[in-house]
């Protein structure tokens, strides 16, 4: 009975959180919802793409805790995490799906939605972190993380009252040592 109640509680929070949680940038949310719909169609080119949405209420209800030990609990400051896992093989349009998200952060896009704040590009993998620049007062920040290697790509959008350090800690504590801050910003805002 206790297990049933816990599962019911998690499902209720997920439904309530899904209705109330939204990405700060509507263009990201539209693309996320389109891919979510397309991946549910049997034998579509989006088959194999994993779509995940984690409202913070659901994570807290599941008992996920901040294990970093600091007094500022990142989980309490999160609103929602969107994640899209894209296999980059010949059976689907993985490269095109990933390219659709890179177009959202493109510097040539007008109006500019995101600003690149960190990147690491190597021979076998690339990681870029962007922050939404359309932000109203008292609204949460939005960070989009694009990760890619030869086999798969991950697009992650994190919304909450968080900082870049919090995002790096959530990704990997070691990532901070390998990712370089983009200090050359030649675009006009």
């Amino acid at each position: 009975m206790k297990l049933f109640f816990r599962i019911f509680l998690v499902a209720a929070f997920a439904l309530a959180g899904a209705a109330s949680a939204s990405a700060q940038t509507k263009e990201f949310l539209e693309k996320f919802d389109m891919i979510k719909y397309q991946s549910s169609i049997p034998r579509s080119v989006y088959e194999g793409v994993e779509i995940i949405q984690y409202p913070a209420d659901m994570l807290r209800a599941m008992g996920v805790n901040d294990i970093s030990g600091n007094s500022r609990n990142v989980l309490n400051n999160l609103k929602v995490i969107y994640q899209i896992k894209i296999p980059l093989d010949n059976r689907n349009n993985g490269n095109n799906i990933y390219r659709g998200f890179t177009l959202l952060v493109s510097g040539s896009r007008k109006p500019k939605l995101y600003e690149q704040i960190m990147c690491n590009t190597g021979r076998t993998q690339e990681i870029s972190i962007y922050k939404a620049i359309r932000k109203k007062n008292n609204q949460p920040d939005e960070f989009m993380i694009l990760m890619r290697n030869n086999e798969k790509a991950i697009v992650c959008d994190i919304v909450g009252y968080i900082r870049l350090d919090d995002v790096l800690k959530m990704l990997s504590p070691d990532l901070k040592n390998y990712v370089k801050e983009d200090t050359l910003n030649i675009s006009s805002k």
Side-chain angles (χ1 to χ4, degrees):
M1 182 69 179
K2 188 176 182 180
L3 178 63
F4 174 76
F5 179 73
R6 190 171 193 178
I7 292 172
F8 175 75
L9 185 64
V10 168
F13 276 123
L15 290 174
S20 65
S22 64
Q24 184 177 337
T25 307
K26 75 174 180 130
E27 291 83 355
F28 173 84
L29 190 56
E30 289 170 355
K31 186 166 285 302
F32 179 85
D33 287 340
M34 186 274 302
I35 292 172
K36 182 176 164 183
Y37 170 74
Q38 292 290 335
S39 66
S40 69
I41 299 172
R43 290 180 286 214
S44 79
V45 294
Y46 292 88
E47 193 170 45
V49 175
E50 294 180 44
I51 307 293
I52 305 164
Q53 180 179 348
Y54 298 109
D57 292 338
M58 183 181 84
L59 294 172
R60 286 189 285 269
M62 289 173 32
V64 178
N65 294 321
D66 181 19
I67 57 172
S68 64
N70 66 14
S71 60
R72 187 176 178 273
N73 189 336
V74 174
L75 188 58
N76 288 335
N77 296 313
L78 281 178
K79 295 298 176 198
V80 64
I81 299 174
Y82 297 93
Q83 189 176 55
I84 304 161
K85 296 178 183 178
I86 308 165
L88 301 176
D89 57 22
N90 295 331
R91 292 180 291 146
N92 68 11
N93 281 342
N95 287 314
N96 290 336
I97 297 168
Y98 185 76
R99 186 173 183 275
F101 286 100
T102 62
L103 290 175
L104 285 178
V105 299
S106 171
S108 62
R109 181 180 173 85
K110 301 291 182 210
K112 191 173 176 184
L113 300 175
Y114 296 89
E115 179 178 32
Q116 184 176 38
I117 53 176
M118 300 192 101
C119 67
N120 180 10
T121 303
R123 293 184 85 188
T124 59
Q125 76 175 21
E126 58 186 60
I127 301 169
S128 298
I129 301 175
Y130 299 85
K131 185 175 182 182
I133 56 176
R134 290 188 311 164
K135 182 175 182 279
K136 297 177 183 171
N137 291 339
N138 298 326
Q139 280 194 332
D141 287 318
E142 175 189 358
F143 292 91
M144 186 186 303
I145 298 100
L146 301 174
M147 294 184 274
R148 177 184 180 152
N149 63 22
N150 295 334
E151 300 166 3
K152 63 184 172 188
I154 297 175
V155 177
C156 189
D157 195 70
I158 303 170
V159 180
Y161 297 98
I162 55 175
R163 302 181 304 241
L164 178 61
D165 286 351
D166 299 328
V167 172
L168 292 175
K169 286 177 189 172
M170 289 180 349
L171 293 174
S172 169
D174 299 332
L175 187 60
K176 195 178 212 179
N177 299 328
Y178 297 104
V179 179
K180 305 290 185 231
E181 185 168 355
D182 187 3
T183 57
L184 179 62
N185 187 355
I186 58 174
S187 64
S188 60
K189 291 183 183 177

